[in-house]
């Protein structure tokens, strides 16, 4: 195999709790992660020209060592002494800097693709072990199932999938710094924590309403104060028929779960018009 084309799936956080801030500065989390049918496309091919060469449809994206795709490729090249070069065409569809693991899922696909085209023989578990060196979300993106994520995000347990539904995803035209959000969280002082255990049980029972009723993201305690539009979009989704709506990751993307496609599409159009947003999508869990 000399080339491969892959879909790099976006993720949403059905629940996101921060247990505490550790002495090493990292945060201990408890999250329920879900992949959705919104994805970037990577075309990865061997090249006779040494090095990693990335092209993208977004001209503001770095295509050097500052790109996680590059870091993923270099990690395997260095470990296995790969001398051939690699050409990557990265078609971005997942909103950038949106709390949907866009960079991490691209890196995960790069690891998977390099493993295939260079016949490295690494198992999924071995790829996940390497992925954590690039970013905490990368192992999950390699796993790409509904999962409970613990530790700093690297301890993953597969759980029952989200029942069939429709997901409206809306990315506000604001930028949120993940570092800033965590620095302002004061995790050890949180008085309320999401019912992540109850959500896992609801998933096991196939109870969409039970999942939706437990959807919470403690990072909203920081972001909604600084960016009121996040809360406004959540409320618009709920008023437009969502079972519930929350922010994904450190934001600013908001998503809502809907039982009917027509209702979801109407809600998406309302959000586009009301907030002047271009990055609004109707998709499904996968």
């Amino acid at each position: 195999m000399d080339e491969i084309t892959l879909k790099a799936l976006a993720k949403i956080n059905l629940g996101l709790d921060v247990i505490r801030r550790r002495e090493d500065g990292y945060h201990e989390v408890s999250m329920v992660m879900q992949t959705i049918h919104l994805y970037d496309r990577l075309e990865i091919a061997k090249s006779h020209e040494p090095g990693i060469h990335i092209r993208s449809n977004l001209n503001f994206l770095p295509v050097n060592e500052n790109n996680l795709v590059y870091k993923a490729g270099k990690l395997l090249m260095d470990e296995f002494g790969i001398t051939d070069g690699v050409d990557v065409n990265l078609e971005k569809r997942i909103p950038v800097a949106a709390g949907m693991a866009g960079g991490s899922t691209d890196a995960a696909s790069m690891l998977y693709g390099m493993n295939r085209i260079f016949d490295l023989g690494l198992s999924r578990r071995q790829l996940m072990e390497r992925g954590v060196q690039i970013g905490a979300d990368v192992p999950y993106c390699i796993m790409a199932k509904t999962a409970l994520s613990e530790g700093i995000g690297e301890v993953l347990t597969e759980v029952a999938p989200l029942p069939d539904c429709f997901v409206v995803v809306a990315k506000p035209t604001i930028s949120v710094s993940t570092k800033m959000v965590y620095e302002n969280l004061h995790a050890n002082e949180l008085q309320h924590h999401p019912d992540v255990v109850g959500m896992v049980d609801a998933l096991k029972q196939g109870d969409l309403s039970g999942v939706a009723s437990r959807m919470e993201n403690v990072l909203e305690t920081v972001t909604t104060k600084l960016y009121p539009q996040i809360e406004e979009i959540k409320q618009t989704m709920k008023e437009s028929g969502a079972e519930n709506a929350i922010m994904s990751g450190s934001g600013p993307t908001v998503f809502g779960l809907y039982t009917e496609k027509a209702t979801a599409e109407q809600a998406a159009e309302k959000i586009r018009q009301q907030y002047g947003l271009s990055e609004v999508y109707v998709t499904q869990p996968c």
Side-chain angles (χ1 to χ4, degrees), residues 2-17:
D2 289 332
E3 59 183 64
I4 190 170
T5 299
L6 300 168
K7 293 178 180 179
L9 299 170
K11 67 85 182 168
I12 53 176
N13 298 91
L14 297 174
L16 194 162
D17 190 15

Side-chain angles (χ1 to χ4, degrees), residues 2 22 24 64 100 113 119 123 149 165 187 209 213 248 272-273:
D2 289 332
R22 306 191 320 189
D24 61 7
N64 54 19
M100 302 185 73
D119 196 23
S123 67
S149 173
C165 62
S209 295
S213 67
S248 183
R272 289 187 193 101
Q273 297 296 327

Side-chain angles (χ1 to χ4, degrees), residues 16-22 24 26-31 132 136-137 148-157 182:
L16 194 162
D17 190 15
V18 179
I19 309 301
R20 64 185 180 95
R21 187 179 188 275
R22 306 191 320 189
D24 61 7
Y26 287 97
H27 288 80
E28 187 174 319
V29 298
S30 179
M31 308 183 290
V132 76
D137 281 342
L148 174 65
S149 173
E150 298 172 295
I152 62 168
E154 86 288 8
V155 181
L156 298 166
T157 306
Y182 275 97

